[in-house]
Amino acid sequence: MTLLVLRDANQPVKQLQVSKPLVIAVPLLAILSISGLIISLQVQSSQTISRLEQQIRNQELRFEAVVTDKNAAIERLQNEVIALSGQSREVMDRMERVSELETELQQFIKKYGGQEGLRNLSSLSYEEPETLGVGGEFIAVHENEIERLAAVTREQFAEMSSLLDEMERNIPNTLKKARQTQHSISGTPSEWPTLSKRLTSNFGYRRDPFSGRASFHAGIDIAGRTGDPVYAAGAGKVITTAKDGSHGKYIVVEHPGGLQTWYLHLSQIGVSTGDSVKKGQEIGSLGSTGRSTGPHLHFEIVKQGEPVDPLPYLK
Ligand SMILES: [Zn+2]
């Protein structure tokens, strides 16, 4: 085959002798190499794309896992806040009940002990938190609601702490007063009836200080100074205040359980028949009236009409 190359009008035509196979082979080779290049580029790019897609999928999975974790954690925390708030409310209620009991105890003491009024714990009040319904349909809790709940719970704990402080300060006092009250209203004659502890005669048979003959001594004699206070050995009711040649000035107090206490040879009587007396209350003064050799208190306990040894009763 002859290839003619026409350039300019002034220039000669060039002739190129080319063999037939070469004319077919050269364009064919060109086409083949170009399409090969295109195909390889396409394959490469599709590989890159699929690799990138795979990476993106992995990333998405990871993010999903993280988000699921976070959601679960938030839900757990929310449930904990709700549970804590419930507990706090419960503890608060119980503390209020305890505080009410303490107030009742104080009122009891005031009524029976006649002590000065104690500070009222129940004056401490707190705001009732909004109650959360139980059951019903599920309603998602918003973050700010949880925050509000947490704030209320924090306040409740602060309130509880101050209530506890108050109780800690007051209860020992109340307990002390309760003990005093219990002691003063106790009808069992156990209080030593005067200041002096000097026993000059015991309960039982003895030589009579006047006649010198054997006789029965129905009580104990406690030597003291004229004017020393004489105390009621237990709470009770004064049933006799009188004076005679044998007993001198004397007082009889009746106690629960069929017990009586007798106080003899007094210089002064400080109560009247019908009076109620507390344990340890001053009821008269020690003296030497009646059949007595010197200032002393004859103290006697009578049980169901029979004198008994007072010493086992007294502390
Ligand atoms: Zn006596």
Side-chain angles (χ1 to χ4, degrees):
M1 292 185 109
T2 310
L3 218 64
L4 292 179
V5 179
L6 301 171
R7 292 188 288 184
D8 214 324
N10 309 336
Q11 293 201 332
V13 173
K14 268 199 174 176
Q15 283 188 24
L16 288 166
Q17 293 282 328
V18 187
S19 68
K20 199 177 171 186
L22 202 67
V23 169
I24 298 166
V26 168
L28 202 69
L29 268 173
I31 289 167
L32 277 176
S33 67
I34 288 169
S35 52
L37 188 70
I38 289 170
I39 287 167
S40 85
L41 276 174
Q42 204 129 36
V43 166
Q44 243 180 17
S45 74
S46 85
Q47 276 176 349
T48 309
I49 286 169
S50 79
R51 212 177 45 244
L52 284 172
E53 273 175 352
Q54 187 60 43
Q55 278 181 358
I56 288 168
R57 259 201 302 283
N58 287 346
Q59 204 95 9
E60 272 177 357
L61 280 175
R62 263 208 305 281
F63 279 139
E64 254 172 58
V66 168
V67 167
T68 313
D69 273 3
K70 286 259 158 72
N71 282 343
I74 287 169
E75 206 173 313
R76 231 175 18 248
L77 286 174
Q78 284 181 341
N79 287 337
E80 270 170 33
V81 170
I82 291 169
L84 197 63
S85 139
Q87 278 174 14
S88 135
R89 209 173 50 245
E90 218 173 273
V91 172
M92 202 93 170
D93 287 348
R94 283 168 58 192
M95 280 173 63
E96 233 205 351
R97 278 202 295 281
V98 170
S99 165
E100 278 166 15
L101 284 176
E102 214 241 336
T103 310
E104 248 178 72
L105 184 60
Q106 286 173 351
Q107 279 162 355
F108 176 87
I109 292 164
K110 221 164 128 184
K111 188 170 171 191
Y112 293 102
Q115 308 281 346
E116 80 280 9
L118 294 164
R119 208 142 98 68
N120 196 347
L121 249 188
S122 72
S123 63
L124 279 168
S125 65
Y126 66 95
E127 304 272 310
E128 186 69 43
E130 280 168 51
T131 39
L132 286 163
V134 174
E137 60 181 321
F138 175 78
I139 297 163
V141 187
H142 288 293
E143 237 172 85
N144 49 2
E145 277 182 80
I146 286 293
E147 268 171 27
R148 191 185 54 81
L149 198 59
V152 168
T153 307
R154 248 198 315 279
E155 276 168 31
Q156 284 177 343
F157 275 116
E159 197 74 54
M160 276 189 256
S161 153
S162 75
L163 245 158
L164 275 175
D165 285 348
E166 196 75 17
M167 282 176 174
E168 228 167 23
R169 274 196 300 274
N170 281 329
I171 286 177
N173 248 335
T174 310
L175 203 63
K176 199 175 146 202
K177 299 232 152 124
R179 287 205 179 106
Q180 286 169 352
T181 305
Q182 196 268 338
H183 178 78
S184 72
I185 64 171
S186 164
T188 309
S190 62
E191 190 86 2
W192 191 259
T194 188
L195 288 179
S196 164
K197 303 276 157 60
R198 199 153 67 87
L199 262 183
T200 47
S201 192
N202 272 316
F203 174 84
Y205 290 95
R206 66 166 186 187
R207 199 172 149 269
D208 187 86
F210 286 94
S211 66
R213 282 161 41 202
S215 65
F216 182 73
H217 189 221
I220 53 173
D221 290 337
I222 307 160
R225 284 176 305 188
T226 301
D228 277 356
V230 170
Y231 307 114
K237 195 175 174 191
V238 178
I239 55 165
T240 310
T241 51
K243 182 187 176 181
D244 65 40
S246 164
H247 298 101
K249 288 181 180 169
Y250 70 102
I251 301 169
V252 182
V253 178
E254 192 175 59
H255 307 280
L259 288 171
Q260 289 177 353
T261 47
W262 292 58
Y263 311 82
L264 272 54
H265 313 301
L266 305 176
S267 59
Q268 258 177 346
I269 292 173
V271 287
S272 313
T273 306
D275 283 357
S276 285
V277 292
K278 285 176 188 165
K279 179 179 282 199
Q281 182 181 330
E282 190 173 336
I283 54 172
S285 307
L286 189 141
S288 187
T289 56
R291 200 164 176 267
S292 169
T293 55
H296 78 287
L297 173 71
H298 173 101
F299 177 72
E300 209 173 303
I301 294 183
V302 174
K303 189 181 183 181
Q304 323 282 12
E306 289 291 319
V308 293
D309 186 2
L311 284 182
Y313 282 89
L314 302 176
K315 36 177 205 198

